[in-house]
Amino acid sequence: MERRFDGFPPGALTFLKELWANNRRDWFEGHRQDYSEFILKPAQAFTAALGERLKEISGDIQYDTRTNGRGSIKRIHRDIRFSKDKTPYKTYVGIVFWEGKRESAKTENPAFYFRLDSEGGAMFAGMHNFPRPLLQRYRDAVVDEEQGDKLQQAISAVTESGSCEVGGEHYKRVPPGYDKTHPRAGLLRFNALFASSPVIDPRALNDESLVDTCFEYCRTMAPVFLWLTDRR
């Protein structure tokens, strides 16, 4: 039985701040119990609480409270094999709520994503990187009169809320084969499409109402998320 979510305890941000300053295995092992109590257990309760609410936006939203890296809660260990930065741990917590039941859906489908770090929290919705086949479909949708118009409406609905933003621009030029003067040429320079909330005040993280706050941001960002789900 999942425990009730009552907020992330103040010790969660303290732990993340101290991890940033002491990003070593010996320090982490000495504070593993703090990681479990301040981060993992409340993260599990948060995942279950927000995951159920998100089904109001899409019935295909999936979440998983396992903490071994196979569920919604991302592993805190960094993959340092090909990185110049050899610090062993992430100094933030990531929780993903993804669309669709296929095994690959968690990384290849649109998702809602919660991030917690020592400065506060934030919600995201969409895709932070298009797999190549989806990138091609996205570009074709941008220039399609009907689909492109729906995309523009979705982006406007999010940005006109006054609270959330839309990003994903990556390339400096419109890709070859597309009209540089197209009215939505700016969107052709995207290699991702996602909405983001403002930073959630650290004080709001310590209360059960965090779930309501995050859900309202997700509802605001839903037009972009739902446009993507129709084209995955």
Side-chain angles (χ1 to χ4, degrees):
M1 180 178 178
E2 299 291 349
R3 79 179 195 180
R4 168 188 168 90
F5 179 70
D6 295 316
F8 284 93
L13 296 192
T14 300
F15 173 85
L16 292 172
K17 287 178 182 177
E18 292 181 353
L19 177 60
W20 182 86
N22 302 277
N23 202 325
R24 307 184 311 273
R25 288 185 177 84
D26 62 333
W27 185 91
F28 184 85
E29 290 303 321
H31 294 78
R32 184 174 286 276
Q33 185 62 31
D34 292 341
Y35 174 60
S36 176
E37 289 297 321
F38 298 150
I39 302 292
L40 286 185
K41 290 180 180 179
Q44 286 180 295
F46 174 83
T47 298
L50 182 58
E52 284 302 307
R53 294 288 300 278
L54 290 175
K55 291 183 182 293
E56 298 176 30
I57 296 175
S58 172
D60 284 335
I61 283 289
Q62 308 294 315
Y63 67 90
D64 185 329
T65 60
R66 286 180 294 175
T67 61
N68 61 358
R70 299 180 66 86
S72 293
I73 303 166
K74 300 286 191 177
R75 286 172 56 85
I76 198 167
H77 299 81
R78 296 182 61 248
D79 184 353
I80 61 175
R81 291 174 298 173
F82 308 107
S83 174
K84 293 181 179 179
D85 179 359
K86 298 302 181 182
T87 51
Y89 303 104
K90 301 169 186 172
T91 55
Y92 63 89
V93 179
I95 303 175
V96 62
F97 307 84
W98 65 95
E99 175 83 5
K101 297 180 180 179
R102 291 184 296 107
E103 186 174 348
S104 61
K106 189 164 67 169
T107 57
E108 295 181 359
N109 280 12
F112 291 103
Y113 180 80
F114 174 74
R115 176 183 167 116
L116 172 69
D117 61 30
S118 61
E119 301 300 319
M123 285 297 314
F124 302 86
M127 298 187 72
H128 274 262
N129 185 53
F130 287 138
R132 184 164 294 278
L134 183 55
L135 178 60
Q136 184 63 55
R137 294 202 301 274
Y138 165 78
R139 289 169 173 170
D140 290 344
V142 167
V143 298
D144 179 85
E145 184 174 351
E146 181 179 357
Q147 295 184 62
D149 183 61
K150 288 182 178 179
L151 171 58
Q152 194 64 67
Q153 290 179 38
I155 291 174
S156 296
V158 173
T159 57
E160 289 173 6
S161 70
S163 61
C164 297
E165 300 178 348
V166 175
E169 184 171 336
H170 174 74
Y171 300 104
K172 293 182 178 180
R173 298 181 178 84
V174 171
Y178 293 91
D179 183 1
K180 297 178 182 178
T181 65
H182 192 280
R184 290 183 292 276
L187 294 175
L188 291 171
R189 297 198 298 270
F190 283 36
N191 73 339
L193 179 66
F194 55 88
S196 57
S197 78
V199 175
I200 300 171
D201 189 285
R203 292 169 294 183
L205 301 172
N206 306 142
D207 192 88
E208 63 183 23
S209 64
L210 175 64
V211 172
D212 296 327
T213 299
C214 290
F215 179 69
E216 288 306 315
Y217 282 134
C218 289
R219 285 210 302 185
T220 298
M221 298 185 290
V224 165
F225 173 86
L226 294 173
W227 185 88
L228 284 167
T229 63
D230 288 340
R231 285 151 191 86
R232 67 178 191 271

